[in-house]
């Protein structure tokens, strides 16, 4: 698949800065979307392509930190703050909240492009991770109810016999379920299936399960003589 062209979003209330940034980035072959207000950005649709946001810290109606908080809650794009009024506490807070960079104005073209490259690479990884998880969830949805019951036991490290006993089924039936689960999930091996279960959050719950243990010997108290 051919990756969509990356997009740089620009939010700054100064029209001259918006225009200058748009012209600079476009001249270097980047696709740019500009926004004059927070409302315009937040009411729009974030592109599916890899993207990042150049965000002015001080806006008339809302601060850049507040926008960062809202976008983070909705899995928004990586943010590069640009500001002529930044201070150390504000920049530290922005970085702690996940900002890629905090660029005080004026900044060089090299500083800007370096930050953009890092931000776009980060967004590519995020989108790839989300796509892989979505594929896993689709595969998991193909499992039958019984297969979903068997999966946590299989990845927990229990033996086939222990898993079968926990489900109240024959061991041969458990082995059939295991083969079908591997096939439907697209797993090449049990370790591969364990990694998938971990991504889906299944492994965490399965590790809490304790295999049922039975003993032919009773634990009768010794009689005193």
């Amino acid at each position: 698949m051919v990756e969509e062209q990356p997009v740089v979003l620009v939010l700054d209330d100064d029209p001259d800065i918006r225009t200058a940034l748009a012209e600079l980035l476009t001249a270097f072959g980047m696709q740019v979307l500009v926004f004059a207000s927070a409302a315009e950005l937040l009411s729009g649709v974030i592109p599916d392509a890899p993207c990042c946001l150049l965000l002015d810290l001080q806006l008339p109606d809302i601060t850049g930190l507040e926008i960062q908080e809202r976008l983070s809650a909705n899995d928004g794009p990586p943010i590069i703050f640009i500001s002529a009024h930044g201070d150390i506490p504000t920049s530290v807070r922005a970085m702690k909240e996940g900002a890629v960079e905090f660029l005080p104005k004026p900044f060089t073209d090299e500083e800007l492009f370096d930050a953009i490259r890092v931000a776009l690479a980060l967004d590519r990884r995020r989108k790839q991770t989300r796509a892989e998880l979505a594929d896993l969830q689709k595969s998991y949805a193909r499992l039958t109810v019984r297969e979903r019951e068997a999966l946590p036991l299989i990845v927990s490290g229990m033996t086939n016999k222990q898993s079968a006993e926990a489900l109240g089924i024959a061991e041969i039936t458990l082995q059939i379920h295991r083969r079908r689960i591997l096939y439907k999930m697209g797993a090449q091996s049990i370790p591969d299936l364990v990694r998938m279960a971990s991504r889906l959050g299944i492994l965490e719950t399965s590790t809490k399960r304790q295999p049922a243990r039975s003993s032919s010997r009773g634990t009768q108290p010794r009689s005193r003589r």
Side-chain angles (χ1 to χ4, degrees):
M1 294 180 63
V2 178
E3 180 185 86
E4 294 183 73
Q5 183 181 7
V7 181
V8 179
L9 312 176
V10 177
L11 172 54
D12 197 302
D13 62 317
D14 188 327
D16 292 334
I17 293 179
R18 289 199 306 271
T19 299
L21 286 172
E23 290 178 350
L24 173 65
L25 298 175
T26 301
F28 279 84
M30 298 183 183
Q31 184 176 351
V32 184
L33 295 177
V34 297
F35 302 89
S37 68
E40 187 177 341
L41 171 69
L42 296 173
S43 63
V45 178
I46 302 299
D48 290 331
C51 64
C52 66
L53 171 63
L54 300 183
L55 177 59
D56 189 15
L57 181 63
Q58 299 295 335
L59 296 168
D61 52 343
I62 188 174
T63 69
L65 292 175
E66 291 175 298
I67 295 175
Q68 181 186 31
E69 184 178 355
R70 294 191 188 184
L71 290 176
S72 296
N74 293 286
D75 204 17
I79 294 174
I80 301 167
F81 277 103
I82 53 177
S83 176
H85 309 287
D87 52 42
I88 293 178
T90 301
S91 62
V92 169
R93 178 183 170 187
M95 299 300 286
K96 283 185 176 180
E97 294 298 322
V100 172
E101 187 58 270
F102 194 103
L103 298 176
K105 299 175 183 176
F107 45 81
T108 66
D109 293 352
E110 183 179 359
E111 290 174 327
L112 177 62
F113 288 126
D114 284 346
I116 290 175
R117 280 192 288 269
V118 172
L120 291 177
L122 175 61
D123 200 47
R124 286 189 183 94
R125 290 195 297 270
R126 288 179 178 177
K127 284 180 165 55
Q128 179 66 27
T129 298
R130 288 196 292 269
E132 291 172 354
L133 180 58
D135 288 341
L136 281 179
Q137 290 170 337
K138 289 179 181 178
S139 297
Y140 180 73
R142 297 171 57 200
L143 302 183
T144 65
V145 173
R146 180 57 95 183
E147 288 165 352
R148 293 184 191 182
E149 292 174 346
L151 176 56
L153 302 175
I154 293 170
V155 298
S156 69
M158 296 171 64
T159 65
N160 288 339
K161 182 178 180 180
Q162 291 169 337
S163 298
E165 289 177 351
L167 292 173
I169 60 178
E171 185 174 349
I172 185 63
T173 304
L174 188 283
Q175 292 173 346
I176 293 172
H177 287 320
R178 187 179 67 171
R179 287 196 296 270
R180 289 177 176 173
I181 291 169
L182 286 167
Y183 173 74
K184 290 181 180 180
M185 295 298 297
Q188 301 302 313
S189 63
I190 294 298
D192 194 19
L193 186 63
V194 170
R195 287 189 289 270
M196 293 178 176
S198 179
R199 293 282 302 278
L200 291 169
I202 295 172
L203 187 59
E204 287 76 4
T205 57
S206 67
T207 54
K208 297 178 182 179
R209 296 173 179 265
Q210 296 295 328
R213 298 183 181 276
S214 59
S215 175
S216 58
R217 297 181 179 179
T219 56
Q220 300 296 329
R222 296 181 179 177
S223 60
R224 296 181 180 179
R225 294 184 180 179

